[in-house]
Amino acid sequence: MRGKNVLIIILTVIVFLSAAVLGVSTVYRVSEVTVNAPVVSEEAKSEAESLQKRLEEAYARSSTFFVDQTLADEIVADFPYFRITSFTRAYPNRIVVEVTEDAEVYAASFGEGGYYILGADGTVLGIRDDYANRTDGEPNILLFGTPSLNVVGDKGKPLSSDAVLTHLFAFCNKANEIFLAGKIGQTGEAPRGIRGNVVSVEVLRPVEAESETMFRLSMAEGVSIYVRNPSLHTLEKAEKAVDAYSSLSDRQKLTGALLVLDGETGITTAYYENFQF
């Protein structure tokens, strides 16, 4: 009789634990995914809704205890404008994913009327037949070359196939940092950054020698900045270029050229009202 009672107690405990585990597993199942996306453009709002739907389908009924960001990363890879900044579990049954929208900055043409739309680091965010920024409608900074840049890219991946692009993005992003920090080209209280000051960047390669390569920045007011051999002392030349540009008078910014060169004593800058390349 005693053995029978022990068996009943054991079975009762097993049933109780099974019910408890079943109850807990049922409660702690993902039934909702919240995507926090502080977006600006209308396209991004629609993309955020599609992203949330994809995440909800992917994580539905998964255990809240064991879900991680791996699956979310794979899904977000299909949305090049977004980056995950936070992935958290909100017990008992919710996941909260915070994403940020990468801004369009540059555009590089390819083929007949097609443009790669690029983020600050050169990642291909989109492919369109125009290069207007999808947030404000103003043109993105156009990148091109003489001879033409060799550009190949896929959405969500860095633009590749032309070695000069590494130096170009490093140069431009340093210039953007200085524009924003120094509020150069500021309108009202908001610094404009590189998009508010630079219209286009042309890569000039008249000969095969890398030292003869030049960046030609067409500025919003009209003056051009020529940077010789930008692969050497790239960031320092960006600093010198922006500093020299900021010191030009309003009249000088309307025309002429500002040259940034390697001199005997370091990097030098010079402005010419009448300049032909």
Side-chain angles (χ1 to χ4, degrees), residues 225-246:
I225 300 177
Y226 290 84
V227 183
R228 188 174 184 273
N229 195 11
S231 63
L232 183 65
H233 306 305
T234 305
L235 302 185
E236 187 178 353
K237 285 177 179 175
E239 293 177 357
K240 293 286 187 180
V242 176
D243 287 345
Y245 166 74
S246 66

Side-chain angles (χ1 to χ4, degrees), residues 113-139:
Y115 296 92
Y116 291 117
I117 307 301
L118 312 172
D121 62 354
T123 297
V124 179
L125 302 179
I127 301 175
R128 298 201 296 266
D129 58 3
D130 69 89
Y131 61 99
N133 188 284
R134 75 177 192 173
T135 298
D136 57 27
E138 296 296 321

Side-chain angles (χ1 to χ4, degrees), residues 200-223:
S200 65
V201 181
E202 179 182 7
V203 180
L204 300 167
R205 289 181 281 200
V207 295
E208 292 298 322
E210 185 178 7
S211 61
E212 296 300 318
T213 297
M214 298 184 78
F215 289 165
R216 176 179 181 264
L217 284 71
S218 296
M219 309 304 286
E221 298 89 346
V223 68

Side-chain angles (χ1 to χ4, degrees), residues 1-12:
M1 178 65 70
R2 183 178 179 183
K4 185 176 180 181
N5 290 337
V6 171
L7 180 60
I8 292 173
I9 292 172
I10 292 173
L11 292 175
T12 302

